């Protein structure tokens, strides 16, 4: 069931671009996870989501066969350029498939009409070990991400995608709590995260991340001319829901959680189209 409020019609008329934020798919973990990924692909397709933004841990053990399953399930969306992906620490395990999810530089730009998405690979070589799950953000990464955001065309929604979190968040697991108590870095936020957040204020609309499997959000400058939403999708395949973001003229005008259900997605698409036609 899509979670739509009674006032949705009024909001939907302003939407020109429908995005989905999904994360931590962990393909290959078990049958239930892979089935959820298939439902997700159907929902993205049936709901005519323009672009899905995938913030890492696509695979569970970083194996090539898990990556192949991801590519098989999402093939039509990948071929149509409707997925923008960054790797997570789990993608560095096993066969290390992170480079296949994002090759080349640690920071690059994926542009779509009305969307300026800066991808930042926040993984590091230490992520080859499961217990060293924390991210990597260098001063160079930070400077390049800021410069890439500043190249956004006028009127585009400015989004930064990365896997790891920029600000402190509660630990998901007992092992993470123990790590923090022992002073280990594995469960902490990116050490330069606060510095990056400060640089993003006024020049970025959305920071999308995952890593923590429980969703969260932080909104900075809520009443200012350019609010900065820092959103954690959590694990989409565990939660069975994803975050839909509707945008127009570089601003977010809809922010809703919806269940991953293909038939319901098609119903929402019909409703959105009817609303636009009536506007
Ligand atoms: Fe994860
Ligand atoms: Fe992760």
């Amino acid at each position: 069931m899509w979670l739509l409020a009674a006032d949705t019609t009024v909001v939907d008329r302003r939407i020109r671009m429908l995005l989905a934020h999904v994360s931590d798919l962990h393909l290959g973990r078990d049958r239930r996870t892979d089935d959820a990924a298939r439902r997700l692909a159907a929902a993205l397709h049936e709901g005519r989501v323009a672009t899905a933004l995938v913030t890492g841990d696509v695979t569970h053990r970083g194996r090539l066969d898990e990556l192949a399953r991801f590519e098989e399930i999402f093939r039509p969306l990948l071929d149509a350029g409707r997925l923008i992906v960054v790797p997570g620490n789990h993608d560095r395990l096993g066969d290390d498939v992170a480079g296949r999810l994002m090759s080349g530089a640690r920071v690059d730009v994926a542009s779509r009409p009305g969307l300026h998405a800066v991808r930042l690979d926040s993984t590091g070589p230490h992520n080859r070990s499961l217990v060293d799950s924390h991210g990597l953000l260098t001063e160079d990464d930070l400077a390049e991400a800021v410069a890439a955001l500043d190249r956004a065309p006028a009127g585009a929604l400015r989004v930064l995608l990365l896997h790891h979190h920029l600000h402190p968040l509660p630990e998901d697991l007992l092992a993470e709590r123990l790590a923090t108590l022992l002073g280990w870095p594995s469960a902490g936020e990116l050490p330069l995260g606060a510095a990056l957040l400060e640089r993003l204020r006024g020049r970025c609309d959305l920071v999308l991340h995952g890593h923590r499997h429980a969703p969260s959000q932080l909104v900075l400058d809520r009443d200012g001319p350019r609010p900065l939403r820092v959103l954690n999708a959590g694990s989409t395949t565990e939660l069975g829901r994803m975050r839909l973001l509707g945008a127009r003229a570089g601003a977010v005008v809809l922010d809703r959680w919806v269940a991953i259900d293909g038939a319901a997605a098609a119903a929402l698409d019909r409703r959105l189209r009817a609303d636009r036609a009536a506007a």
Side-chain angles (χ1 to χ4, degrees), residues 24 26 56-57 89-90 163 211 213:
D24 293 74
H26 287 270
D57 283 358
N89 54 297
H90 275 253
H163 180 62
H211 191 50
H213 286 197

Side-chain angles (χ1 to χ4, degrees), residues 58-71:
V58 169
T59 63
H60 190 55
R61 300 178 191 83
R63 291 181 355 193
L64 285 168
D65 63 320
E66 295 171 338
L67 179 68
R69 200 165 312 158
F70 167 70
E71 291 174 341

